Amino acid sequence: MHDFCELNFSELSSLMTEHGEKEFHARQLIEWVWGKGVFSFDSMSNVSKALRAKLPAFLKLPLLQLVRIQESDDLETFKFLWRLPDSSLVESVLICSGARRTVCVSSQVGCPAKCAFCASGKEGFVRNLHTAEIVEQVLQIDAWLKQKGETVSHIVYMGMGEPLKNYNSVLKSIRLLTDPELFNISERRITVSTVGIVEGIRRLADEDLKVSLVLSLHAPNQKIRTKIIPYARKYPLDEILSAMDLYAKKTKRDITFEYILIAGINDHPDHAHELAHLLHGKQCTVNLIPYNPVIGLRLKRPDKKTIKHFRSVLFGSRIVNTCRYTKGDDIAAACGQLAMQEGGPKAETALVQIGSD
């Protein structure tokens, strides 16, 4: 058995030939799934009944079953909960901003990083997602958007999990999603976020890709960072920054540093000065994110005055920075809030609605 959404055109064509079918059938199937967002072989009207009956014997589609969709009050953020073939649960998020339709995908069930502020790692790490399980998050959400005459415009690997600890599956998913014969999204519209897996950063720098790379920094020094991110004990900050510099040099892409502001932990003006010194001379942007509350954690978000002061220090040191407007926190879909949770409102959209013609 093969996962359909793990195959490119050449691989699917070879598979069809192996099963005594014509190569052009591969093109038909790709158009239905990747082009039209149809995930039911029975709905592929220009494919013969005999072939439609034969396909499930060697092609698995779909893998993801939609449990529910939650929408934010402003109708700009939608959180999708998926059940995987082994009954594990993952979440992905659709963020609507102007003409942009950004899908935030998960790469693992749970997360091994276990950052102090994040819900994803609270229940530990379960397993890596397969390539097709990552790809289907994008394709199924794109199919949902197509019903409204819209399409996915950007993809961010910022959901559950550490993408660079599932390197092979994440890389192949990027190759498939950017393949002109498949989804054909620009590499420059894809962003990968990492807590700082040095070997993964260096490896990605050699892949001849133009995807954006974001470092979850969250602290101005190694001491504070080890308190917030357990992985920091394995990866010293100077080594991570060196790897990020290498990535920027090889790909000609500016680097973004994400910094979650946590009251009393990393939000003091002295921390801002230290951060400015750390990043001095780098072609980068600091994306400040006020902490999003997670049930069971006693951390707090800084007040507006503290955030404003922190930003003014950075601006004064000529460090470009933004403060992310929180989207989806009312449905626990904001940064750091994704988790493996099934409880919640009844599903508002059934899988058949996403997978139909």
Side-chain angles (χ1 to χ4, degrees):
M1 289 289 287
H2 298 265
D3 294 336
F4 183 92
C5 291
E6 204 165 72
L7 303 173
N8 60 29
F9 174 68
S10 177
E11 292 166 337
L12 183 58
S13 296
S14 297
L15 187 61
M16 298 302 291
T17 302
E18 287 176 21
H19 287 269
E21 301 297 335
K22 301 293 185 182
E23 185 180 277
F24 78 88
H25 289 309
R27 182 70 65 193
Q28 287 180 313
L29 298 179
I30 284 174
E31 177 58 26
W32 279 109
V33 179
W34 291 87
K36 298 180 180 179
V38 174
F39 297 89
S40 168
F41 292 129
D42 289 338
S43 299
M44 300 177 184
S45 56
N46 66 343
V47 178
S48 69
K49 288 185 178 180
L51 179 54
R52 278 184 269 165
K54 183 179 179 180
L55 291 173
F58 61 92
L59 284 173
K60 288 186 285 185
L61 182 78
L63 296 178
L64 273 56
Q65 178 185 2
L66 182 64
V67 177
R68 70 166 183 268
I69 301 175
Q70 290 176 269
E71 58 186 38
S72 62
D73 291 338
D74 61 10
L75 300 180
E76 292 185 348
T77 304
F78 301 83
K79 185 169 69 170
F80 295 72
L81 178 66
W82 311 101
R83 180 174 286 109
L84 307 178
D86 64 356
S87 296
S88 296
L89 299 170
V90 294
E91 293 180 325
S92 42
V93 178
L94 170 65
I95 304 165
C96 304
S97 179
R100 283 195 176 204
R101 298 294 178 265
T102 301
V103 175
C104 177
V105 298
S106 292
S107 57
Q108 296 178 313
V109 182
C111 184
K114 298 183 179 180
C115 298
F117 54 83
C118 186
S120 297
K122 282 182 66 180
E123 297 178 38
F125 169 71
V126 179
R127 70 171 175 87
N128 287 329
L129 292 188
H130 304 307
T131 297
E133 292 171 331
I134 298 172
V135 168
E136 272 196 33
Q137 293 174 62
V138 177
L139 295 188
Q140 291 212 38
I141 292 175
D142 188 66
W144 184 78
L145 281 171
K146 278 182 167 63
Q147 298 175 9
K148 302 190 290 183
E150 301 174 352
T151 189
V152 171
S153 64
H154 294 75
I155 302 167
V156 294
Y157 288 75
M158 294 183 179
M160 294 169 57
E162 165 52 58
L164 297 187
K165 293 299 285 185
N166 186 15
Y167 190 92
N168 291 334
S169 292
V170 165
L171 179 65
K172 187 168 185 182
S173 70
I174 292 172
R175 300 286 192 200
L176 291 169
L177 290 163
T178 57
D179 190 326
E181 296 184 297
L182 301 176
F183 198 66
N184 195 30
I185 194 168
S186 169
E187 293 176 4
R188 296 178 182 275
R189 293 191 171 194
I190 294 179
T191 299
V192 176
S193 177
T194 178
V195 296
I197 311 302
V198 172
E199 64 274 17
I201 297 170
R202 293 183 179 278
R203 190 176 171 188
L204 191 63
D206 291 328
E207 297 289 356
D208 193 28
L209 289 171
K210 297 298 182 183
V211 300
S212 298
L213 187 61
V214 172
L215 176 67
S216 294
L217 182 58
H218 309 318
N221 59 54
Q222 180 71 6
K223 183 177 179 180
I224 295 177
R225 200 165 190 269
T226 55
K227 294 179 180 179
I228 299 175
I229 306 173
Y231 260 20
R233 299 186 185 97
K234 181 178 180 181
Y235 299 101
L237 189 51
D238 58 345
E239 291 184 16
I240 295 173
L241 293 179
S242 176
M244 294 295 289
D245 287 343
L246 175 69
Y247 186 87
K249 181 179 180 180
K250 285 193 172 183
T251 63
K252 304 296 190 293
R253 302 287 283 165
D254 290 353
I255 297 299
T256 297
F257 296 98
E258 289 199 329
Y259 192 104
I260 290 186
L261 287 163
I262 307 171
I265 303 294
N266 63 357
D267 64 337
H268 192 274
D270 288 347
H271 296 140
H273 283 290
E274 193 173 0
L275 179 62
H277 178 73
L278 183 72
L279 302 181
H280 178 73
K282 297 184 184 296
Q283 189 72 27
C284 67
T285 298
V286 175
N287 186 6
L288 299 170
I289 308 168
Y291 169 71
N292 294 305
V294 172
I295 294 175
L297 299 183
R298 297 182 179 180
L299 304 176
K300 294 183 179 180
R301 176 184 296 188
D303 57 37
K304 291 182 179 180
K305 183 179 179 180
T306 299
I307 296 171
K308 185 177 180 180
H309 194 177
F310 196 97
R311 295 193 70 190
S312 68
V313 171
L314 295 183
F315 281 129
S317 300
R318 298 186 178 181
I319 300 295
V320 177
N321 69 91
T322 62
C323 190
R324 182 187 296 179
Y325 167 65
T326 299
K327 283 178 173 286
D329 57 336
D330 56 321
I331 56 170
C335 181
Q337 293 183 321
L338 298 191
M340 301 173 283
Q341 297 181 1
E342 190 167 2
K346 185 178 179 181
E348 299 158 9
T349 303
L351 181 65
V352 68
Q353 289 178 286
I354 288 183
S356 62
D357 184 1

